[in-house]
Amino acid sequence: MTRPTGWGLIGASNVAREWIIDAIRAQPGGEVRAVLSSDEARGAAFAQAHGIASHTTSLQALLSRPDIDAVYISTNNSLHREQTIAAARAGKHVMCEKPLALSVEDATDMVQACNHARVVLATNHHLRNAATHIAMHGMIEDGRIGGLIAARVFHANFLAAALQGWRVNDQGGGVILDSTIHDIDTLRFLFDADPTSVFCMTQSGRLARDGIADGIMAVLRFPGDVLVQIHGGYTVPYAPGGIEIMGERGMIIGRDCMSQRPIGSVAVRTSDGEHEIQLKHHNLYHRAFELFTAAIHGGGRPAATGEDGVASLAIALALRESARTGREIGIKLP
Ligand code: NDP
């Protein structure tokens, strides 16, 4: 029998509107029961537009509802910590947006609060759920291209006008914490490893203000002397996204695979020539919420856990530190 899962949305956000309400409702028994907005009128309009029965401006009111089992947090990044800890204390499971917080200490507090309350904490690093990345992970694991040597990640695009708010004018934004953090998490997923050190240079001023990065180039060193290069940005209109992974016996080429949409292709190039891998695409967010729902009902784990969120944040902050100091930064994970 399907177990109902009652959800509260914390944040009347664009990502909730565009992807998450649908992903929750795609789960058997998944119901969005309330939305929290700091603004009464915005919350009311959001609830009405999306057929959500209830809205509130009070976090405590939302968290005290017994018909809410889990919350999805997609407020401004500076609010994630306080809202996650409050939800954990109220016994609610938490799917939190990335970056989990703005400091490793805050993110670690969130993981500890959820562990203490025995609720599931997941980080919405959606790219781990893409059919493309799952296929690439499998091929690396199977040794299809031999020992890894290097990789290149291409994840630069032009930020839509509607998104040119906190991402380009708030120190809690910038391309590293907003977008490159997904690349970092994807690499951690693909390689089943964390980088040991990073180096990064940033650009600013084409779209972002006050030194906030709107473009980056970074180099990450992974165990086994594997070097990875990332190009990320908000200011490049026509660049395709992708990942190339180079091994001793071949190369994996992921094209158009850094998208929120279920698109892209994967090819492998070896002494046999280049062959496209057959993929069955699925909605990335549906899979994230499917795994999360199973985890809260006692089966398995989310695609990206709270601990994954902490590690990917720590590495993203090391990129920022490298850009600030001009130094290579060693990675120390909590
Ligand atoms: P939004 O800017 O749409 O929403 C963030 C907050 O801004 C909302 O909680 C809302 O506050 C407030 N807000 C929304 N609309 C308005 C408005 N018209 N005027 C004033 N305030 C407004 O953010 P995003 O949806 O782009 O991002 C939210 C979170 O999700 C971030 O942490 C981001 O990093 C993450 N994200 C993750 C993605 C993924 O694929 N994993 C994709 C996109 C974003 P209130 O709730 O109080 O109404």
Side-chain angles (χ1 to χ4, degrees), residues 9-20 35-40 42-43 46 56-57 72-80 83 96-100 123-127 162-163 165-167 172 177-179 181-182 259-260 284-285:
L9 304 181
I10 299 182
S13 67
N14 186 54
V15 60
R17 176 179 62 75
E18 208 174 338
W19 297 101
I20 305 303
V35 58
L36 170 91
S37 170
S38 59
D39 183 286
E40 166 73 27
R42 193 165 54 242
F46 191 95
T56 179
T57 57
Y72 166 67
I73 298 179
S74 63
T75 47
N76 289 342
N77 299 332
S78 60
L79 299 174
H80 294 178
Q83 292 166 337
C96 185
E97 271 304 344
K98 48 40 71 169
L100 270 191
T123 314
N124 196 24
H125 280 302
H126 59 289
L127 289 175
L163 300 182
W166 58 266
R167 286 176 171 80
L177 288 188
D178 184 41
S179 170
I181 194 167
H182 283 307
S259 173
Q260 292 173 288
L284 283 60
Y285 298 94

Side-chain angles (χ1 to χ4, degrees), residues 245-263:
I245 302 165
M246 287 146 258
E248 288 159 352
R249 289 202 306 275
M251 179 164 173
I252 298 169
I253 305 164
R255 297 185 173 100
D256 292 324
C257 58
M258 305 310 287
S259 173
Q260 292 173 288
R261 289 175 293 130
I263 59 170

Side-chain angles (χ1 to χ4, degrees), residues 55-128:
H55 65 92
T56 179
T57 57
S58 160
L59 182 62
Q60 278 320 316
L62 183 122
L63 294 177
S64 64
R65 286 178 56 154
D67 64 336
I68 289 182
D69 308 295
V71 295
Y72 166 67
I73 298 179
S74 63
T75 47
N76 289 342
N77 299 332
S78 60
L79 299 174
H80 294 178
R81 175 190 188 274
E82 165 201 329
Q83 292 166 337
T84 296
I85 292 175
R89 288 186 178 146
K92 310 299 182 192
H93 303 284
V94 181
M95 169 69 94
C96 185
E97 271 304 344
K98 48 40 71 169
L100 270 191
L102 296 177
S103 75
V104 176
E105 294 73 22
D106 283 359
T108 305
D109 288 348
M110 294 160 69
V111 169
Q112 285 174 352
C114 290
N115 287 345
H116 183 72
R118 295 179 185 274
V119 296
V120 175
L121 171 63
T123 314
N124 196 24
H125 280 302
H126 59 289
L127 289 175
R128 285 173 178 244

